[in-house]
């Protein structure tokens, strides 16, 4: 085969791959739009109009009349009546065609065609941002008598994704519980794996980062939930949460040297320097990464409400790790190690010690921090006493109910 023929053959393969990529079905609602819409809340005055233009381009392209009305109400925009009438008319025409196709499927075709028609209507409502009708459409599928468990799980995950799009967490929690119940009845590996990603997101929003961290780390090498987020975003969440809870050997193995993480972490600043700083005990490097991390967290719709909490936990983690190596250390020495001022460090340590988050005490006269390792046996004893008191209270309440 000549080189020209080889080039032509390779070109055909590339074109074929591009066509295959183009045929990948879009998932609705578009979670990328949800992230852009969130940035309308946190964008500065200089960039807000540009962000609005991007959002409106996506809204117009998908004829999202219900979501446009939500945005106008949320941000006090003046409604473009002409645009709204146009996309409402487009929605009505498209829905009429979908309902006609469903009617034909019910009258002249089989159950699979009927299911396809119902799914198309559900996708339509999800695409235009009509949450209530999206849920109703997928409920029809879930309640059909001859639909497989897999299709019911898919319908619940569609509803769950719609709830996350609108950050309706009570609905998201309810749909997650329903989907997990269906998975236990007969979900395949892929659906189980994808549902773990949905659960991790719900847990992050609810600030249960420890449980979310485990689910995220388990999914790094098996991630397929591209309808919810890109892989890079998934790794971002996995690294942020797991740095708080992994011990140093696990941090080294799964984050710092983890092959799946290494492939993308360099593009997720400042997580690369943070992970290295935490593992290498380079606390100045780690602390210098906290400000850009804070800015990054504020730009994420799931983590923004928890940005201050996460930064506080990272500081407590690093102070604890540093102090674990000393019985006592000068405040000046510790401040130099962290690249911060002595006054700032003294204030930070005092606050965390008073709150019971650090087992140490500050010797103001000697200008040093003395560690005070927690008495694990006493802590366990106090925990048993507390649980015993709770149990006794419950028994007393039960006894009063029985006696009455």
């Amino acid at each position: 085969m000549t080189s020209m023929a080889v080039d032509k053959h390779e070109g055909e393969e590339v074109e074929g791959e591009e066509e295959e990529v183009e045929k990948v079905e879009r998932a609705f609602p578009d979670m990328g739009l949800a992230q852009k819409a969130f940035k309308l809340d946190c964008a500065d005055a200089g960039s807000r109009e540009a962000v609005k233009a991007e959002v409106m381009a996506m809204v117009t392209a998908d004829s999202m009349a219900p979501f446009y009305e939500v945005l106008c109400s949320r941000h006090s925009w003046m409604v473009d009546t002409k645009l709204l009438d146009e996309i409402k008319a487009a929605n009505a025409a498209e829905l009429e065609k979908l309902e006609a196709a469903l009617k034909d499927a019910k009258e002249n075709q089989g159950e699979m065609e009927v299911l396809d028609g119902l799914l198309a209507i559900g996708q339509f409502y999800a695409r235009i941002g009509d949450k209530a009708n999206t849920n109703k459409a997928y409920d029809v599928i879930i309640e059909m008598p001859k639909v497989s468990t897999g299709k019911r799980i898919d319908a619940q995950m569609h509803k769950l994704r719609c709830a996350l799009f609108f950050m309706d967490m009570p609905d998201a929690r309810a749909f997650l519980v329903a989907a997990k119940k269906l998975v236990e009845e007969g979900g395949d590996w892929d659906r189980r794996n994808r549902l773990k990603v949905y659960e991790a997101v719900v847990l992050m929003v609810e600030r249960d980062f420890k449980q979310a961290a485990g689910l995220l780390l388990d999914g790094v090498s098996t991630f397929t939930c591209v309808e919810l987020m890109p892989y890079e975003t998934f790794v971002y969440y996995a690294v942020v949460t797991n740095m708080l809870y992994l011990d140093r050997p696990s941090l080294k193995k799964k984050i710092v040297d983890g092959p799946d993480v290494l492939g993308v972490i360099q593009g997720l600043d400042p997580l690369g320097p943070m992970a290295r700083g935490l593992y290498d005990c380079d606390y100045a490097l780690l602390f210098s990464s906290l400000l850009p991390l804070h800015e990054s967290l504020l730009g994420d719709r799931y983590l923004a409400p928890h940005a201050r909490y996460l930064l506080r936990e990272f500081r407590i983690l690093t102070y604890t790790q540093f102090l674990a190596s000393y019985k006592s250390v000068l405040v000046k020495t510790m401040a130099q190690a962290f690249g911060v001022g002595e006054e700032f460090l003294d204030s930070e340590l005092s606050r965390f010690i008073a709150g019971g988050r650090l087992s140490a005490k500050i010797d103001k006269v000697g200008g040093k921090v003395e560690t005070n390792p927690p008495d694990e046996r006493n802590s366990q004893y106090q925990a048993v006493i507390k649980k015993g008191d709770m149990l006794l209270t419950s028994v007393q309440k039960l006894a009063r109910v029985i006696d009455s």
Side-chain angles (χ1 to χ4, degrees):
M1 187 181 290
T2 64
S3 61
M4 185 178 295
V6 171
D7 292 342
K8 182 179 179 182
H9 179 65
E10 290 177 348
E12 290 174 349
E13 287 184 345
V14 170
E15 290 176 1
E17 290 174 0
E18 289 175 351
E19 289 177 0
E20 187 176 343
V21 170
E22 290 174 358
K23 290 179 182 178
V24 175
E25 186 178 352
R26 286 179 66 195
F28 296 108
D30 186 339
M31 304 307 286
L33 172 59
Q35 175 61 28
K36 285 186 180 295
F38 168 76
K39 288 189 175 180
L40 287 168
D41 296 320
C42 55
D44 55 42
S47 61
R48 190 172 293 118
E49 284 302 314
V51 175
K52 179 181 178 181
E54 291 180 19
V55 170
M56 285 306 303
M58 298 176 75
V59 167
T60 305
D62 285 327
S63 300
M64 302 180 69
F67 189 60
Y68 175 57
E69 291 179 304
V70 169
L71 289 172
C72 289
S73 174
R74 183 185 299 169
H75 299 287
S76 301
W77 294 347
M78 183 176 294
V79 178
D80 185 334
T81 308
K82 182 181 178 182
L83 172 64
L84 183 59
D85 289 344
E86 287 177 357
I87 56 180
K88 277 187 173 181
N91 291 165
E94 185 175 354
L95 181 60
E96 184 178 356
K97 290 180 181 179
L98 292 171
E99 289 178 338
L102 177 60
K103 182 180 179 182
D104 179 66
K106 288 179 178 179
E107 294 175 351
N108 305 309
Q109 301 179 54
E111 293 176 356
M112 287 302 299
E113 288 75 15
V114 172
L115 179 60
D116 289 341
L118 291 170
L119 285 169
I121 291 175
Q123 285 285 78
F124 162 76
Y125 282 125
R127 192 198 77 209
I128 66 173
D130 188 335
K131 182 179 67 170
N133 280 317
T134 298
N135 292 338
K136 290 178 182 178
Y138 285 116
D139 280 339
V140 172
I141 296 171
I142 293 168
E143 293 165 6
M144 287 177 67
K146 295 184 180 180
V147 174
S148 67
T149 302
K151 292 296 184 183
R152 287 192 173 96
I153 295 170
D154 290 341
Q156 284 290 1
M157 286 199 288
H158 279 301
K159 291 169 62 181
L160 175 52
R161 188 165 66 253
C162 187
L164 290 173
F165 181 89
F166 286 97
M167 292 299 281
D168 184 342
M169 297 317 297
D171 271 2
R173 170 53 69 178
F175 298 153
L176 174 63
V177 170
K180 289 178 72 174
K181 184 177 179 181
L182 287 170
V183 163
E184 290 170 2
E185 293 175 3
D188 59 18
W189 177 88
D190 179 64
R191 290 183 173 93
R192 289 175 182 271
N193 192 48
R194 285 163 51 218
L195 188 58
K196 287 181 180 179
V197 181
Y198 284 90
E199 183 176 6
V201 172
V202 172
L203 289 168
M204 285 196 304
V205 176
E206 294 175 344
R207 198 176 281 188
D208 188 348
F209 290 112
K210 188 169 186 177
Q211 191 173 346
L215 292 172
L216 291 165
L217 193 60
D218 288 344
V220 168
S221 60
T222 58
F223 178 80
T224 59
C225 197
V226 292
E227 75 274 13
L228 192 59
M229 67 185 76
Y231 181 63
E232 292 77 10
T233 303
F234 178 80
V235 173
Y236 174 88
Y237 295 145
V239 174
V240 168
T241 55
N242 278 279
M243 279 196 294
L244 286 172
Y245 302 107
L246 291 179
D247 55 36
R248 292 188 71 247
S250 298
L251 180 69
K252 172 73 170 174
K253 179 181 178 181
K254 298 180 179 180
I255 302 296
V256 177
D257 291 339
D260 296 302
V261 173
L262 280 175
V264 295
I265 196 172
Q266 297 309 318
L268 301 176
D269 285 339
L271 297 188
M274 274 193 70
R276 290 196 305 274
L278 183 59
Y279 179 75
D280 294 334
C281 301
D282 187 343
Y283 301 111
L285 174 63
L286 193 153
F287 258 51
S288 68
S289 303
L290 290 181
L291 182 58
L293 175 68
H294 187 245
E295 294 174 357
S296 175
L297 294 173
L298 289 176
D300 184 90
R301 63 193 299 262
Y302 300 130
L303 298 181
H306 314 295
R308 290 183 63 184
Y309 169 83
L310 286 168
L311 251 68
R312 182 173 68 248
E313 294 303 305
F314 275 117
R315 299 201 306 276
I316 291 170
L317 172 66
T318 51
Y319 292 145
T320 301
Q321 182 171 300
F322 178 89
L323 292 172
S325 303
Y326 297 92
K327 189 172 183 180
S328 67
V329 60
L330 292 175
V331 173
K332 180 180 179 180
T333 301
M334 189 172 176
Q336 290 173 345
F338 282 83
V340 298
E342 293 180 42
E343 186 176 343
F344 169 82
L345 183 62
D346 184 274
S347 174
E348 282 262 285
L349 294 178
S350 298
R351 181 156 56 93
F352 293 141
I353 290 171
R357 300 303 307 277
L358 288 177
S359 297
K361 59 182 180 180
I362 299 176
D363 180 354
K364 290 282 189 179
V365 177
K368 59 185 178 180
V369 181
E370 297 178 352
T371 58
N372 182 26
D375 185 343
E376 293 186 8
R377 180 176 295 181
N378 186 56
S379 298
Q380 291 173 353
Y381 173 76
Q382 294 297 331
V384 169
I385 294 296
K386 184 177 180 180
K387 290 179 181 178
D389 287 341
M390 292 172 62
L391 177 61
L392 182 59
T393 302
S394 299
V395 170
Q396 289 173 342
K397 288 181 179 178
L398 180 60
R400 285 197 294 269
V401 170
I402 293 173
D403 291 341
S404 62

